[in-house]
Amino acid sequence: MAAVPHTRAANIKIASINLFNFIEPPLAYYDFENIYSHGQWQKKCQWLSEFLAHRQPDIVGFQEVFSPEPLKRITSEQGLVHFAIVDEPTLISDYIYRSPVVSLASRYPIVEVSSVEPDARLVAAMGLSIEFAFSRKVLRATIEVPQIGLCDHYVVHFKSKRAGLALEPKPFEPNPFEHQPLGVDHVAPTASMKLHSETQLLTEQALGRWASTMQRGAEAALLFNGILVRRQESKHPVILMGDFNDSLTMGALDALTIQGESIHSNDIKAAGLGHLSDAALAAVFAQYQLKDAYELFIEANLRDSLTGNTAYHREHRAATHYYGPKGSVLDYILLSSEFDASHSRSLAQVIDYQTCDRHLVRPEYERDAYSTDHAPVIVELALRS
């Protein structure tokens, strides 16, 4: 996909990378057998170093980090000398870990780092357990970005679609045919008598996947509230990046890109905003809205084509993850109105969007065998003069 022409000098590149079990041996992920050899680990680190050297992002959000110190060394060697993390993986036993964390590396100074915690009052209002928490802590880093100033960057790794529900087996019921002599009157067990394990598995999958969807949806909505509260206080531009483990077009993530047009007029009146004109109301909502960087890039290309500066052709969006032959877009970068060229407060615009999927669609074993199962996404922003 052709990028909008622009000089690189004043541009900023933002990237999001799921590192797929980034853990330094002799530590293991999830199971004692999951340990990289020295050679495998070196290849994984080399792949990342070469990716950063080639793409030269200025700010990177990482997911699936078990070993932050090696990551910090690699990013620092590539000029990303500022590093942030707000959690640590969970030690299961001895050298085995679970629950990898997110982190962020930046070429520019990080002035504040914190985790985003769900509002307990809203958790209760949603009918969730008082013990509700994000499946992975959300990182917020405030960065001093050239010509933009303080900007809040959020790194997320929402709950996966994987079912995590295990039902207790039914109490043991004796087989009435177990001790019956075989004969003409013997009735063989029916299919329904032998389906207990299969039906339990299907039930666990159905309920578990829905439970994961509810968790992911709650995380998105509660995070959006945290972003709104922070934005109202700080007025900082917002960049939200990470592995969303779902498509933005699916209902679970609706909260992140909610638009004023979708809000019922009665709700607008009840909020005390009924006196505003349509234009004024749109302006109020726009300052809090987050947009997919890919869509902003498409809009920029469309505007450029209408002015005759370039030809426009919307290509199929590349997948960032594959499950067998099926590809999905799970990794996103969302931007606030300061990065929307059509907004009056715009400070920059999206001039390029890249899905870096060579290692997934055209892999070379020596280079890519221990890379990652996700395609990093990179957004290039041109600062407005």
Side-chain angles (χ1 to χ4, degrees):
M1 184 178 292
V4 178
H6 200 279
T7 57
R8 173 73 177 95
N11 297 354
I12 295 170
K13 285 186 178 181
I14 312 292
S16 178
I17 309 176
N18 181 317
L19 292 175
F20 187 50
N21 298 323
F22 189 84
I23 187 166
E24 184 176 27
L27 304 180
Y29 55 95
Y30 305 116
D31 187 88
F32 72 95
E33 295 182 344
N34 295 331
I35 303 175
Y36 296 118
S37 68
H38 176 74
Q40 291 169 341
W41 173 244
Q42 290 303 311
K43 284 187 175 182
K44 191 170 185 68
C45 292
Q46 182 178 355
W47 182 90
L48 177 59
S49 293
E50 291 178 353
F51 177 86
L52 296 176
H54 174 62
R55 298 289 182 169
Q56 296 189 326
D58 300 299
I59 299 168
V60 188
F62 296 102
Q63 304 89 49
E64 290 204 28
V65 178
F66 283 102
S67 299
E69 286 305 314
L71 179 59
K72 185 177 181 179
R73 288 196 298 270
I74 291 171
T75 55
S76 181
E77 289 169 358
Q78 299 301 326
L80 302 164
V81 296
H82 305 279
F83 192 83
I85 196 165
V86 293
D87 199 7
E88 58 185 24
T90 302
L91 177 65
I92 301 174
S93 64
D94 298 329
Y95 54 89
I96 306 171
Y97 283 84
R98 63 175 176 83
S99 304
V101 302
V102 303
S103 64
L104 180 141
S106 172
R107 206 173 297 278
Y108 312 122
I110 300 174
V111 301
E112 182 185 354
V113 177
S114 67
S115 63
V116 180
E117 302 299 332
D119 186 315
R121 178 181 59 88
L122 299 182
V123 167
M126 294 171 70
L128 302 172
S129 166
I130 59 172
E131 298 177 351
F132 177 89
F134 292 116
S135 52
R136 290 100 171 179
K137 281 193 175 182
V138 177
L139 181 154
R140 185 185 75 219
T142 304
I143 301 175
E144 184 73 48
V145 179
Q147 300 184 51
I148 290 179
L150 297 180
C151 182
D152 287 337
H153 294 70
Y154 296 81
V155 185
V156 301
H157 190 179
F158 289 139
K159 179 70 178 70
S160 71
K161 294 182 179 180
R162 188 177 299 113
L165 185 67
L167 301 176
E168 290 294 325
K170 290 182 179 179
F172 174 74
E173 297 177 0
N175 183 347
F177 305 103
E178 186 174 357
H179 302 293
Q180 178 179 329
L182 290 176
V184 294
D185 295 327
H186 173 70
V187 180
T190 65
S192 62
M193 293 178 181
K194 297 186 293 184
L195 284 177
H196 174 73
S197 60
E198 289 87 344
T199 54
Q200 175 161 316
L201 174 60
L202 291 172
T203 299
E204 288 178 348
Q205 288 294 307
L207 297 181
R209 293 183 186 190
W210 178 242
S212 295
T213 298
M214 290 192 296
Q215 170 78 20
R216 190 165 55 255
E219 289 177 353
L222 290 165
L223 171 60
F224 186 62
N225 169 74
I227 293 174
L228 290 179
V229 171
R230 168 72 175 182
R231 186 142 160 83
Q232 184 172 290
E233 295 173 349
S234 70
K235 311 301 182 187
H236 295 163
V238 172
I239 296 176
L240 168 61
M241 69 187 95
D243 178 357
F244 288 21
N245 264 316
D246 211 340
S247 168
L248 276 180
T249 60
M250 303 301 289
L253 301 180
D254 275 354
L256 296 174
T257 54
I258 189 170
Q259 299 184 35
E261 294 89 340
S262 65
I263 302 176
H264 197 279
S265 59
N266 289 339
D267 295 326
I268 292 174
K269 292 176 182 177
L273 301 174
H275 65 286
L276 296 177
S277 66
D278 290 345
L281 195 62
V284 168
F285 288 133
Q287 64 182 316
Y288 296 106
Q289 186 179 351
L290 298 177
K291 288 189 175 182
D292 183 357
Y294 174 82
E295 294 299 333
L296 289 175
F297 173 60
I298 294 299
E299 291 174 11
N301 273 273
L302 178 58
R303 280 193 301 270
D304 215 47
S305 68
L306 293 175
T307 59
N309 294 332
T310 185
Y312 171 75
H313 174 64
R314 180 170 184 142
E315 299 178 5
H316 176 71
R317 187 171 189 172
T320 67
H321 184 266
Y322 289 86
Y323 185 77
K326 182 180 180 181
S328 304
V329 179
L330 304 181
D331 304 80
Y332 293 91
I333 298 176
L334 305 186
L335 305 171
S336 60
S337 57
E338 286 84 354
F339 307 102
D340 181 353
S342 66
H343 195 274
S344 60
R345 297 175 57 191
S346 175
L347 301 175
Q349 71 174 38
V350 179
I351 63 163
D352 196 15
Y353 183 99
Q354 296 289 330
T355 300
C356 308
D357 60 358
R358 183 183 65 175
H359 64 290
L360 297 180
V361 299
R362 297 186 303 279
E364 295 180 13
Y365 182 82
E366 283 301 313
R367 181 191 64 206
D368 303 319
Y370 300 97
S371 53
T372 173
D373 62 343
H374 282 247
V377 291
I378 300 181
V379 169
E380 187 168 357
L381 305 172
L383 300 175
R384 299 172 74 85
S385 56

